[in-house]
Amino acid sequence: MTNHALTRRAALGAIASILATAGATAPSAAIPVNDPLIDAIAAFRAGLDDYDRNARLEDEEKLDAYAEASFGLPMTVIEEWERPATSKQGAIEALRLALDEMSSFEASPTVPPMVGAALAYLEGLQS
């Protein structure tokens, strides 16, 4: 595993709340969707992108600190999420994130195809 994956695992459960930011995973619908889950996922993806682009440190302690500063807070928000998505697009973004994360971390072999099936169904629904 890369330092990125180890750092992310070490950071699980280590950080607390987030302000939503615009980011890489904006809703694809023509009408803007007001769903806090979409904002939380976008902030997490933006933090991961920042980390991937800029974390070129050799010191493990500094890498951990940069992980916490870049994606730690948004990751905690998502890990502690307990409300349903408030839109179809929010549900889609949640499933996309789950599939992305499964490519980095081990999951039961049954999980990726089932999440993929649910995502494909939701993506096919009319808005």
Side-chain angles (χ1 to χ4, degrees), residues 1 4-9 12 75 100-108 112:
M1 286 198 174
H4 172 79
L6 292 174
T7 301
R8 288 177 67 196
R9 283 182 194 241
L12 288 175
M75 181 175 66
D100 290 348
E101 290 293 293
M102 283 184 268
S103 70
S104 298
F105 301 105
E106 189 174 333
S108 164

Side-chain angles (χ1 to χ4, degrees), residues 18-25 36-50 70-75 77-78:
I18 176 178
L19 292 173
T21 60
T25 312
L37 183 55
I38 293 171
D39 295 335
I41 292 169
F44 178 61
R45 288 186 183 281
L48 285 176
D49 187 49
D50 173 42
S70 58
F71 66 81
L73 198 55
M75 181 175 66
V77 168
I78 290 170

Side-chain angles (χ1 to χ4, degrees), residues 8-109:
R8 288 177 67 196
R9 283 182 194 241
L12 288 175
I15 348 151
S17 170
I18 176 178
L19 292 173
T21 60
T25 312
S28 58
I31 299 171
V33 176
N34 183 15
D35 187 332
L37 183 55
I38 293 171
D39 295 335
I41 292 169
F44 178 61
R45 288 186 183 281
L48 285 176
D49 187 49
D50 173 42
Y51 181 86
D52 289 341
R53 280 192 329 262
N54 299 309
R56 303 289 181 248
L57 308 167
E58 304 257 338
D59 181 312
E60 190 70 31
E61 206 170 286
K62 289 181 181 178
L63 278 171
D64 288 344
Y66 197 83
E68 187 167 331
S70 58
F71 66 81
L73 198 55
M75 181 175 66
T76 298
V77 168
I78 290 170
E79 289 174 344
E80 295 176 358
W81 198 271
E82 294 182 352
R83 298 170 287 165
T86 59
S87 68
K88 173 187 155 198
Q89 192 61 38
I92 288 171
E93 295 304 329
L95 288 170
R96 281 186 185 145
L97 178 61
L99 278 175
D100 290 348
E101 290 293 293
M102 283 184 268
S103 70
S104 298
F105 301 105
E106 189 174 333
S108 164

